């Protein structure tokens, strides 16, 4: 168990460092612009670029709708929690935060898909390098968000375990006591 946690902590440190190093390396590459490219394109390529452009815009809109609607919903839920008389505001705030984190991860996946779509038709070397940098950056963000969500969910489960394992008297238990007396 101890060896597994050491391996896990090593991966948690090594993976972000490798991703950051890859991002810096990609951004430091300077691709010379070749202005002597042939501009003649086939009509099919032009139509394909147009269609893929609309698909990419659609995925970006989907990401914005998913993230925006959840942000608005989270704000309303938080305001409701502020004005409620409940003492579980910390747990409610944490659940709102976790839900928002999950949606941000989903939104990042949509935006990565959009970037991949945009470079799918006749990409240049610069387009591929830009896509690599963007995907690395978003993967890094996604990694940190998922780690934070996982840690918060584990701590939430650990806080619930003592409550779930404690003995709570039920009506059935009180009826057994009455029958004995």
């Amino acid at each position: 168990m101890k060896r597994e946690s050491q391996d896990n902590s090593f991966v948690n440190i090594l993976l972000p460092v490798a991703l950051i190093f890859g991002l810096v390396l990609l951004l430091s590459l300077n691709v010379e612009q070749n202005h002597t490219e042939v501009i003649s394109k086939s009509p099919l390529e032009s139509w394909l670029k147009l269609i893929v452009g609309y698909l990419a815009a659609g995925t970006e809109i989907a990401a914005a709708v998913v993230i925006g609607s959840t942000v608005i919903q989270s704000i309303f839920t938080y305001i409701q929690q502020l004005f409620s008389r409940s003492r579980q505001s910390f747990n409610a705030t944490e659940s709102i935060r976790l839900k928002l984190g999950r949606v941000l991860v989903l939104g990042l996946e949509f935006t990565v898909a959009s970037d991949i779509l945009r470079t799918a038709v006749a990409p240049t070397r610069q387009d591929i390098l830009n896509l690599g940098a963007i995907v690395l950056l978003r993967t890094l963000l996604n990694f940190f968000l998922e780690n934070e969500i996982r840690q918060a969910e584990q701590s939430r489960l650990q806080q619930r375990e003592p409550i779930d394992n404690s003995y709570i008297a039920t009506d059935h238990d009180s009826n057994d006591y009455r029958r004995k007396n």
Side-chain angles (χ1 to χ4, degrees):
M1 182 69 176
K2 188 176 184 180
R3 171 87 173 137
E4 188 175 303
S5 67
Q6 286 176 345
D7 289 343
N8 195 16
S9 65
F10 182 69
V11 168
N12 285 340
I13 293 170
L14 187 63
L15 183 64
V17 169
L19 287 173
I20 290 171
F21 179 72
L23 180 63
V24 168
L25 182 65
L26 278 175
L27 291 175
S28 67
L29 289 176
N30 188 8
V31 177
E32 294 179 15
Q33 295 295 327
N34 189 1
H35 296 292
T36 60
E37 292 180 14
V38 177
I39 299 180
S40 65
K41 296 179 185 178
S42 70
L44 181 61
E45 186 178 328
S46 297
W47 279 100
L48 197 55
K49 277 194 172 198
L50 181 69
I51 291 170
V52 169
Y54 284 129
L55 287 174
T59 57
E60 287 176 352
I61 290 170
V65 167
V66 166
I67 292 172
S69 63
T70 305
V71 165
I72 291 169
Q73 183 183 13
S74 297
I75 289 170
F76 284 132
T77 305
Y78 182 73
I79 290 171
Q80 283 178 339
Q81 289 297 323
L82 281 177
F83 293 117
S84 73
R85 308 257 170 164
S86 173
R87 289 287 176 192
Q88 296 180 351
S89 63
F90 178 74
N91 289 338
T93 303
E94 187 69 21
S95 68
I96 291 169
R97 201 172 135 252
L98 287 175
K99 181 180 178 183
L100 191 58
R102 286 187 202 104
V103 171
L104 286 174
V105 168
L106 178 64
L108 282 172
E109 296 295 330
F110 274 119
T111 56
V112 166
S114 171
D115 292 332
I116 290 171
L117 279 171
R118 288 193 193 283
T119 59
V121 180
T124 63
R125 185 173 175 206
Q126 187 64 43
D127 290 341
I128 293 172
L129 288 175
N130 288 344
L131 175 66
I134 290 169
V135 168
L136 274 175
L137 181 63
R138 290 186 179 159
T139 302
L140 190 63
L141 289 171
N142 198 359
F143 174 78
F144 285 122
L145 276 170
E146 285 182 358
N147 269 352
E148 189 171 337
I149 289 169
R150 189 178 318 115
Q151 288 173 353
E153 286 176 344
Q154 286 175 353
S155 67
R156 207 165 141 192
L157 287 174
Q158 288 173 354
Q159 289 174 354
R160 283 186 182 176
E161 282 180 5
I163 295 171
D164 292 342
N165 293 334
S166 64
Y167 181 78
I168 300 173
T170 61
D171 290 335
H172 179 66
D173 294 335
S174 60
N175 289 338
D176 288 343
Y177 177 75
R178 287 184 202 138
R179 279 189 224 138
K180 290 178 184 176
N181 291 332

